[in-house]
Amino acid sequence: MSTHSHAEGHLPHEPEKATLEGRNKVLGFWLFLGGETVLFGTLFSAFLALRHQVLDGPQPNELFKLSLVAAATAILLTSSLTSVFAIQALHNHNVKALINWLIVTVVLGLGFLGLEIYEFYHYVHEGHGFTTSAFSSSFYTLVGFHGAHVAFGIFWISSIIGQLMKKGLTVVTAPKVYVAGMYWHFIDVVWVFIFTVVYLMGKVV
């Protein structure tokens, strides 16, 4: 099926899978996410092995402010919901709603990132620098690596919004929206594990 045979308004129900290229992008991205899962698994393992090695630095239960982290978690999970609304708009071929939901997702992602940056600033001010202890190094590596993924996702979705405004919804732009949504859900799921393993376990163990 030619990529030029689908004018906007004449797209199939799932335009992201209408072409072989689109289907390959989705399949390839699943493989990429498999690699990312292994990478984050390694960082989680390192953190779990080092989380009690605090030396003279603060303990996790002295350091973490769950109210701030809970607010960041709520914002990021809400952004996952808005990305679902964006995919629904994609399947309904509603370009205006699609762009609007993607913009809301980006704004929420920026809100999460702002809270994370403030959190790091607060922890450093409390004497929890990157080299304070093995615990602090593993904490900043794991949580910071996730934050870098959020920043990349914000940049990626923003560039897709620009393409949708310029080119509209086509069988070329639709797979990009779809895999970006998959990526955003992935970083949301990773954050749920970070919230549980790093923050909740840090407060009670």
Side-chain angles (χ1 to χ4, degrees):
M1 185 176 293
S2 169
T3 58
H4 300 292
S5 62
H6 296 293
E8 190 174 322
H10 299 85
L11 292 168
H13 174 62
E14 294 184 337
E16 73 276 8
K17 300 176 184 175
T19 64
L20 178 61
E21 180 182 354
R23 291 192 292 273
N24 286 340
K25 282 182 179 177
V26 174
L27 176 61
F29 204 75
W30 276 113
L31 297 175
F32 168 76
L33 292 183
E36 286 282 282
T37 301
V38 173
L39 187 55
F40 271 105
T42 303
L43 294 178
F44 271 106
S45 299
F47 174 80
L48 288 171
L50 300 172
R51 65 194 177 105
H52 295 302
Q53 309 300 319
V54 297
L55 295 178
D56 295 329
Q59 298 278 347
N61 57 358
E62 301 171 334
L63 188 69
F64 295 151
K65 306 297 182 187
L66 283 187
S67 57
L68 177 67
V69 182
T73 302
I75 290 173
L76 195 61
L77 293 182
T78 303
S79 75
S80 188
L81 179 62
T82 59
S83 71
V84 170
F85 292 154
I87 297 301
Q88 288 180 338
L90 165 70
H91 290 157
N92 292 330
H93 306 166
N94 188 335
V95 181
K96 183 178 179 180
L98 170 58
I99 291 174
N100 287 339
W101 282 121
L102 289 178
I103 290 174
V104 174
T105 302
V106 166
V107 171
L108 291 170
L110 287 171
F112 170 85
L113 207 56
L115 287 179
E116 188 162 86
I117 291 171
Y118 171 77
E119 179 193 21
F120 281 11
Y121 171 80
H122 173 74
Y123 291 162
V124 171
H125 185 72
E126 293 292 319
H128 183 67
F130 184 83
T131 58
T132 302
S133 64
F135 158 64
S136 65
S137 298
S138 61
F139 168 82
Y140 283 119
T141 300
L142 173 58
V143 181
F145 192 64
H146 175 269
H149 275 66
V150 174
F152 175 76
I154 291 170
F155 173 78
W156 186 12
I157 295 174
S158 298
S159 69
I160 291 174
I161 292 171
Q163 291 184 32
L164 288 170
M165 289 178 171
K166 183 178 180 180
K167 301 176 182 177
L169 182 61
T170 69
V171 292
V172 176
T173 55
K176 297 178 182 179
V177 175
Y178 191 79
V179 296
M182 292 170 60
Y183 177 84
W184 200 255
H185 290 310
F186 173 76
I187 59 177
D188 285 351
V189 170
V190 171
W191 179 256
V192 171
F193 280 98
I194 289 176
F195 180 69
T196 303
V197 174
V198 175
Y199 293 100
L200 292 184
M201 289 178 60
K203 291 296 282 186
V204 300
V205 178

